[in-house]
Structure formats: structure tokens, C-alpha cells
Amino acid sequence: MTPTISQRGQQMPASPIRKLVPFAEAAKKKGVKVYHLNIGQPDIETPKAVLDAVRHSDFKVLEYSHSAGNESYRRKLVTYYQRFGVEVTHQQIIVTTGGSEAILFGFLACLDAGDEVIIPEPFYANYNGFATEAGIIVKAVTSQINNGFALPDLSQFEAQITPRTKAIVICNPNNPTGYVYSQEELETLSQLCLKYGLFLFSDEAYREFSYNGAPFSALNLKGMENNVVVMDTISKRYSACGGRIGAFVTKNQALLDATMKLAQARLSPPSFAQIAGEAAVDLPSDYFNGIKAEYQHRRDILVKLLNEIPGVYCPNPGGAFYAIAKLPIDDADKFCQWLLESFSWENQTVMLAPATGFYATPGLGRQEVRLAYVLNAEDIEAAMQCLTQALYVYPGKTQI
Amino acid sequence: MTPTISQRGQQMPASPIRKLVPFAEAAKKKGVKVYHLNIGQPDIETPKAVLDAVRHSDFKVLEYSHSAGNESYRRKLVTYYQRFGVEVTHQQIIVTTGGSEAILFGFLACLDAGDEVIIPEPFYANYNGFATEAGIIVKAVTSQINNGFALPDLSQFEAQITPRTKAIVICNPNNPTGYVYSQEELETLSQLCLKYGLFLFSDEAYREFSYNGAPFSALNLKGMENNVVVMDTISKRYSACGGRIGAFVTKNQALLDATMKLAQARLSPPSFAQIAGEAAVDLPSDYFNGIKAEYQHRRDILVKLLNEIPGVYCPNPGGAFYAIAKLPIDDADKFCQWLLESFSWENQTVMLAPATGFYATPGLGRQEVRLAYVLNAEDIEAAMQCLTQALYVYPGKTQI
């Protein structure tokens, strides 16, 4: 008798970003150049000092590290957070296998199956996957493109709260919108968390990519010491996505104790990339200036060119390296597939992520796409030319 | 209001192996030398060629890999499995973050919360942790030290089967017993899996460490193509525990599809250690001969010296690098703590893992300890001298 897979296995959402990959591969096989604005894989080189730290390491046995990560790395991270005015001890940091594992740990340690988490949509699609794994329910509050995806009104959050609500997730700076929540917005959210006894999970993967001053870390919210968990990662910060090193940071001791047991079950985070992460904290202080200037330059070009296309609207994102644009199209999923399958201009096309995958509410985001400005300015310009041409001829174009 | 952590967070079992660590640290602070036979961290050096592959890598961006792992590595693993007569394609392999993630993936993709898995006890304690994370229930069938922990009679398995039973887990060669299941034992289990439509999860982390010929891989069980999942890892094989690279191998296409979505949610396995894993497959074919001879030598010494201690019984394990011994003591947890806290002989003591942590049935294993022979022969001899002396003076010694 053939066994059947589980309901949750069947319910796991397919990645909305990766589902178009076969169409991109087919386009490339036809000789079409594809500009990838669909995925947050930075093209910027990993700092040489970071890779060299691994290449010059001289240990003889690739041992398990401490389940919470090497103490030397955690102590180094303490100094990293101090730069942002965040005071944590190395015992309040658990090194994780990417930011992904930090999110999963938070879901598992704070919520039981059937519990609910509230997330402003559009949101990072993999939150859905981890929620399915943990058996928890995502309730969305909708942010609006018209105000640049600012934090929805508190009443919208409150309307979603039930006795099963255990946490709110924010991503700041935001993937996929690029919005940077202000200190005031976070303080408003805090009141709600304190009133209802909710955790606040703050995914701060893009902390450094904020073009109007450093974003306010949720770890600095007063009175929220037992409510806040920061999910972090070296992936975007140092172009080190493949390292799979993140961090789970909280001052809640009961939560740390439970999360340590999750960490012990999987033994340890990857050793090589902990060496890389430790070296990264020692990069010269001007390292991010150059990177940030480059991303800001790309953003400026992208947003300007997008808004020059008739019928397109793209708010100016304050952080991360994503933008969401509204296009004059019938259906973003169809359009993004069509771009790869049926369109090319001067033998080039562009790959975008349909925004539908970032909304939990069915039907939302059908005219929106996410663009990751992870290509150099020249390529972004070429990609925007492709998009302009595509919108002239796309059969599903809507009235402007 | 302070939020409370989840029930499953509270229920996560603490690692039975790591809970004695503070006592070992205190002993070391007093200047006592501690022989670590408690944990499966091999002392054998990671092959230089494996570490050099990482050190000599020359990429510029530490990118995400494919969610299933680099195709070049998966193709290389195909040739690795061929050496054991196992025919799989690279699409039937998902590279995981250690064997740990392969086990978690199996639990999540094959079982729903409340479903049951049957495991012969004593078993690898972290199965409990992953079961708690997945909300599934572990039912144990007890194997016996008297027959070297052979597979319990099929009737014992059958007695545990309910409508919620979805899978059987075996670890072969076994951690913590060192037992190597025969082809016949596995074929017997297969009949049960086919009769009741159960998955067979076969944790083959210790495949190479088998002292009487290669163990039979569950992937070669006839008619079981849709039932078998092999959980694998490079950790022990190449002394590469810190790499965090494993594999989830199955021919069940529906299960592969679901597991790929779990893999996509966490983006990719670690990149550095995939390079190490790929290089490891190219090690000269005699690599394991030396390693195996060394472990077999250690086992022979350990088992001989154990059985020479009055009142001690240790069956001769056929594989892995563990042995379980029965000691003339009242309580293994108390004894192992006492060894660190209150005993030393010539300023030395030994750290063992109480077997209670490997049994699901309360009360079992109270006179048993697990010993990992991951130290050189000389240290094993010294450790056995300590154990001998300790058993002379331990206040909770039982009548022999």
C-alpha cells in the first residue's frame, strides 16, 4: 500500500517567486536575455574579507558549534547591535540557519497549532510556508500602495484580534514594499501588543538598507522586552545569502529557554558561515555607505523610469531593495508569465514577481508586481525599456 | 501584558546529552580531565581535501543555491549511492541542512499533527524534538540489550499500529545501540509498511561505519519505492558535523514535490559545506578503510574493557561508533552526574550519556549508558580505568 503524504505537506504553498523559473529557463534556451528583477539575490560581491576569513580558516575538524552559535560570534554580534543603540547580551542571541530558521523558531516557540499571527500584507511569501509548517493561521491587514504601504490603521489590526492571536509580524524595512516603519508606527503597534499580550516579531533583514536614516529597531521599544523578537540574517547585509546564518534575538528568558531546545534539536548552525559572519562585523564602518549609495542610485533610476511609463505607479520605497509597482494590466501572474513566454524586445525580456503571491487576501495585488533592484543601473534601464515596450503590446493591457 | 510561549515550546525536550554539560564544565574548572564519551563528535580530522575544496573556492558572491542543493552536488551524490548499489536520480535527492532537517522534513511532509510514528527504542533522542515540533506522537517498541538490540519482533510493531500510524523510523547502523539491521530484518519491516501503507524512514547517517560488510540500504527494498525515505548526512562520514549538510532521498514523487516546497520556504541549504560535500564524494576509495579500522580498533578495546568490569555487560555493536552498556548502578542519570560532580581518579573522570534519554518508555535504561568511541585508543583505556574505579566507589552501586 502506498502511503499518502500529510495534509500540511499538500498545503505547503509553492514559492510564488520560483514558479516562473521554468518559463525563464525556456526563454533563455531560445536565446533571450532575461533581466532578473524577480528575486532578492544581490549581485553585489560578498566582501572579500568575509570570504577570506573562511578561506584562511585553519581548523582541522569541522565540528558542531554551540547550538546557539559560537560564543565568539555572539559576542561580536553584541557589538554589531550596539552600533544601532541596541543593548543585548550574547545570551540573548541564538544564531540560526538563516533568517528563515529564526522565523520558524518564533512560530514554533510562541504559537501552537491553530493560533493566529497578524501580518500586514503584502508580505514576504515564505511566512506562509513557515505558518503552514507550524500549523498556525495568518490573518492579514492590508497596507495600501497609495500611501506607500505605510502601517495600516491600528483599528484594522484590532479587528483581526481573537483569543487565538499570539503575535504580529512586521518586516522593517519591508520586503516586498520597501516601506520603512517609523518609530511612531512601531510604538503604536507596541501599545496593541502590550494590551493584548502579543509577541512582536520584527524581521530586520534589511536594517542597513534604509535611505533616510537608520530604521528604529523593535529591540529598542520601551516596555516591550518580553514581547519583541528580532529575526535577523547576514544574507542581504553582506551579500551572503548562501551562508545561511541568521539570528533570533529576544530579551524574553522563557522564550530563549524554549528556543534553545529547538536549537539543540538541530544541533548547530553552519560552522563555515559563522566564521564569515564574525568577520563581517569587523568590516570597516564605511562599508555600507558605498553599498547603500549604489542601491539608492538604483532605486532612484527604477522608480523614476517606472513612473514615466504611462499608467504605472510606483511609490518611492525608503528601504530594502524592493519596490512594488501598479501596472495597467489585467493579471500580474499572466503578465509575468507572458513576459517570459511570449514577449521579447531586441531579444531581451524582464522577469518580475507577481504581487499576488505577497497578499493573503485572494484577489489583491493582481495589478501589482514586485521589482528587486539587484541589478546594476544599466541593466535596470534596459529592463525598464523592456517593460515599457511590453506594456505597449501586452494583450491584457487595461484602460489607462 | 507579557505573552506566553506555546505549549509545544514548553514541551520541547531538553537534550539528554547536553544537560550534563554544566557539570563537565565545573569539573574542568576544578582541573579534572574529562574524557568525553558522551557525544558523537568524532575527533578524526575532516579530510584535508574536503576542507581545501572550500578554502580554494573562488566565487565572488555567496549566493543562494538551488533549494534542493546544487545540481552538481546532487549529481555527484548519485555516484556516491551507486557504490552501495543504490540507483537514484539527482531529482530524487534534496540536499538538506544536516540530517536533522531531513528528519524534520519527513515528519512534516508525511505526518499531520496527532499522527503517530513507531520507533524502536532506545533511539536518537532528537527524534523526540522533531516530533514535538511537528506535533506528532512517538510510539516506541523496545529492543533488548540481551540480543544486542536487534529489531524487535514484528508483533510488537503491529501492536502499536493505529489508524493514525503513518511511519516507522529506523536508524541503521543504529545510534545509540550500534546495532546493524540485516537485510532480512528490513524486509520483514517492509511487509508491515506495505500492509498498512506506512512510510519507512531510514536514517543512514552511519552507513560507512559497519564492521561486518556494508549495511543494506532501505532504498534497495523491493516494492518499497513509494514508502522509503532515506535521511542522510555528511556529518559523521567525513567528520564534517559543522557543515550542516544532509540529504532527503526518496523515489516517491508526491513526497518529493511536497518536500521541495518545504525546501523552497527556507530558500537553500548552506553553500560552503555543499562544496565540501561534493569534494568528499571524490575522496579516494580507500579513505574509509583507515577510518573504519580505527573505529573498529576502538570498539574492540572499549567493549573488551567494559565487559571486564565486574557487573558490566556490553553487547558487541556491529556499526556506528556507539555502544550501550549495562552497569551495576541504581540510576544512570545520577551516576553520570556523580562522575562529573563528585568523582575523579588521578584527577580524571569520564563523561557518559545516560541511556534514559534514548528511551521513550519511562523507567527504561536506568542502568544503561551510551558510550561514543570518538576518542583514541589510549584515551578510551584511561576512560575505562576511570569507570572501573568509579564503579568501586559509587554509592548507588547495586548488588552484582
Side-chain angles (χ1 to χ4, degrees), chain B residues 103-265:
Chain B
I103 295 159
L104 182 62
F105 279 179
F107 283 0
L108 289 172
C110 298
L111 289 88
D112 283 303
D115 283 346
E116 297 166 3
V117 63
I118 301 175
I119 318 182
E121 64 181 355
F123 58 79
Y124 177 57
N126 285 325
Y127 295 151
N128 282 322
F130 301 123
T132 302
E133 292 180 33
I136 67 175
I137 295 153
V138 173
K139 297 286 204 77
V141 295
T142 309
S143 64
Q144 306 291 338
I145 195 167
N146 306 331
N147 61 6
F149 300 102
L151 193 75
D153 195 81
L154 223 53
S155 63
Q156 281 187 254
F157 284 90
E158 212 151 7
Q160 295 288 8
I161 291 177
T162 77
R164 304 285 323 238
T165 309
K166 296 293 294 286
I168 294 171
V169 178
I170 53 159
C171 179
N172 190 31
N174 192 273
N175 172 11
T177 68
Y179 187 80
V180 181
Y181 298 111
S182 68
Q183 180 173 349
E184 291 65 36
E185 284 174 310
L186 293 178
E187 284 170 351
T188 309
L189 261 191
S190 295
Q191 296 312 312
L192 203 70
C193 291
L194 291 169
K195 181 173 171 190
Y196 292 97
L198 308 179
F199 286 102
L200 180 62
F201 296 155
S202 184
D203 178 344
E204 302 184 359
Y206 299 90
R207 183 179 296 115
E208 279 79 1
F209 306 111
S210 174
Y211 311 114
N212 307 303
F216 187 80
S217 173
L219 286 166
N220 279 339
L221 286 166
K222 292 217 171 36
M224 286 281 282
E225 291 72 15
N226 283 321
N227 302 67
V228 166
V229 182
V230 160
M231 280 78 173
D232 217 334
T233 170
I234 67 167
S235 292
K236 313 294 174 171
R237 192 164 297 157
Y238 310 114
S239 266
C241 298
R244 311 314 297 131
I245 288 294
F248 179 99
V249 190
T250 184
K251 298 178 180 180
N252 181 320
Q253 191 59 48
L255 179 54
L256 282 168
D257 293 344
T259 307
M260 258 314 285
K261 291 189 284 182
L262 293 167
Q264 286 181 345

Side-chain angles (χ1 to χ4, degrees), chain A residues 385-397:
Chain A
Q385 280 194 300
C386 284
L387 182 61
T388 306
Q389 298 298 324
L391 286 171
Y392 281 129
V393 296
Y394 176 57
K397 190 167 50 168

